[in-house]
Amino acid sequence: MRKLSFALVFLLAGMAHAQAPKPAAPIIPKPADAGAPDARASSDAGRRDAAPDHPGPVRGDEQLPPGHPAALRDDDPDGDGDDPHDPHGANNPHQGQGNGMFRAPQDIVDDDSALPPGTIAVQILDPENKPLPNVDVTLGILQQSVAKGDARRHVNQITNAEGAVRFDSLETGSGVAYRVTVPREGAVFAATPFQLAPSKSGMRVKLHVYPVTSDLEQALVVMQANLYAELKDDRIQFEEAINVYNFGRAAWVPDNLVMTLPAEFTALRGQESMSDQGVDAVEKRGARIHGTFAPGQHSLIFRWQLPYAGASNVDIRVGLPPRVAAARVLAAASQDMKLRVEGFPAAMPNSDMNGGRLLETTKEMQRGEVLRDLNITLSDIPTPGPARFIATGLAALGVVFGLGYAYQTRGRRRVVPKGDAKRTRQQLLFELEELERAHQAGDIGPKTYERARREIVDAIARTLAS
């Protein structure tokens, strides 16, 4: 973790140096009034600046800084943000100004016993915790009903001189969820969704709104890329985690930022998020990043597939977003399989959570070094060999003999006991359900899915005919 922090320091130092001659830009924090970003409170977990847990082999938080630039300083060995030489400790309002980074203030969504049930009190603040008047605040309301389905509506109010609005007489209970958002200049700032408990208290929300830029040159943003590859039947499945760190005072909104992928990529799907952040497929081009990246830490996780024809060697080129401080590539591998990434150290063997063999290589950028794509080679992949063709030929002969037998015995109907047919049909229906679930999860390719589904449906038809 400390090594990767140095890579981030190099990039941030270069960015701060490049931006120093531009004091007129309003969204660039001046060293005299900048702080350092802080991790969000646990009550704010899950919103736009919190990285979601990653269930797969690529865990974007394993080698990343904790989102707290105090951990980048050599005089803060425990990484808690307290300078041992600072008499003010964590309460020093000027802490972190020397490194040109901004400490993002904490958003709050919490119960307030001073408010009556069914009430939401909202205050909109700027990056310095000052109230923002005349701001249009949207309260999104989601009503969930088993009988009627989901119903969505919105209520809007304008903040007063204290940056406050209040929504009264709202429905409580688990059937209704609320979310406070503020759209501004193409960005969307949002609090964590919540419900109003039928208790003796309402809910108080404090939401910070930041200046917005789409120009990456005007933002203190760095990234880390993680890519995991695994061979599955007739395709290679990739899973990527892009971790975004915004150390500036402005929210960054990407403008048509597309990470290039091989033209034949398919089945790109991003992980669902409670924010407007996400990744969309651009046909024959790649993956487009969109959303609002406010000061703090964010994670984007998505999957895609590449057709695989069974070759022993595969070359793949994967584009990266800008300002990548470090990249990591992993591949599920057989005993003899090899992984090579151009410009990276030799891949080392590792193990996944289930004890399977992995190959892994990591590269951290040095000052002035730019990494725009990953040139990956998977070699010595085990191929089926002649046994596969022998088995296919035997299966084809079996089909021919079966057709001949059916032709000779046409007109003679085989009677299957009713109980046997019913049990067989139930088993086939279960297999069909499992097949559909695996297809939806992306665990099998389209060709295998179509072939297996056709065989199961034909078998079910035969049980009905019998």
Side-chain angles (χ1 to χ4, degrees), residues 254-265:
D255 182 16
N256 196 29
L257 175 57
V258 179
M259 299 178 292
T260 57
L261 298 177
E264 61 272 26
F265 82 91

Side-chain angles (χ1 to χ4, degrees), residues 227-387:
L227 183 142
Y228 171 77
E230 183 177 5
L231 273 73
K232 286 182 175 289
D233 196 17
D234 56 352
R235 73 206 186 284
I236 306 175
Q237 181 163 294
F238 296 87
E239 187 169 359
E240 293 194 51
I242 305 297
N243 297 280
V244 182
Y245 296 88
N246 186 345
F247 296 111
R249 188 178 295 269
W252 174 54
V253 178
D255 182 16
N256 196 29
L257 175 57
V258 179
M259 299 178 292
T260 57
L261 298 177
E264 61 272 26
F265 82 91
T266 61
L268 190 147
R269 183 175 59 181
Q271 187 179 56
E272 293 184 1
S273 171
M274 291 188 296
S275 71
D276 66 334
Q277 299 169 5
V279 178
D280 296 329
V282 181
E283 188 176 359
K284 297 188 181 303
R285 285 188 60 197
R288 178 187 287 118
I289 296 177
H290 63 80
T292 304
F293 296 87
Q297 175 183 344
H298 316 263
S299 282
L300 295 169
I301 299 173
F302 62 101
R303 295 180 178 181
W304 54 280
Q305 297 176 1
L306 198 62
Y308 171 62
S312 60
N313 295 332
V314 178
D315 294 319
I316 309 150
R317 183 176 180 180
V318 179
L320 294 175
R323 289 190 179 170
V324 171
R328 181 171 53 153
V329 179
L330 305 95
S334 62
Q335 190 61 39
D336 298 324
M337 181 175 155
K338 297 180 178 61
L339 165 67
R340 185 177 67 84
V341 183
E342 184 179 323
F344 280 54
M348 302 299 294
N350 205 334
S351 299
D352 61 19
M353 293 181 292
N354 299 319
R357 184 173 184 262
L358 286 176
L359 292 173
E360 176 180 350
T361 178
T362 301
K363 181 178 177 63
E364 299 171 3
M365 302 303 104
Q366 304 300 317
R367 184 188 296 272
E369 190 175 10
V370 178
L371 184 64
R372 292 187 172 87
D373 48 41
L374 301 171
N375 293 301
I376 302 168
T377 298
L378 301 175
S379 58
D380 294 341
I381 303 172
T383 55

Side-chain angles (χ1 to χ4, degrees), residues 40-52 179 191-193 273-275:
R40 303 287 174 159
S42 59
S43 64
D44 200 28
R47 54 180 302 269
R48 60 181 184 271
D49 51 356
R179 192 180 193 192
T192 308
S273 171
M274 291 188 296
S275 71

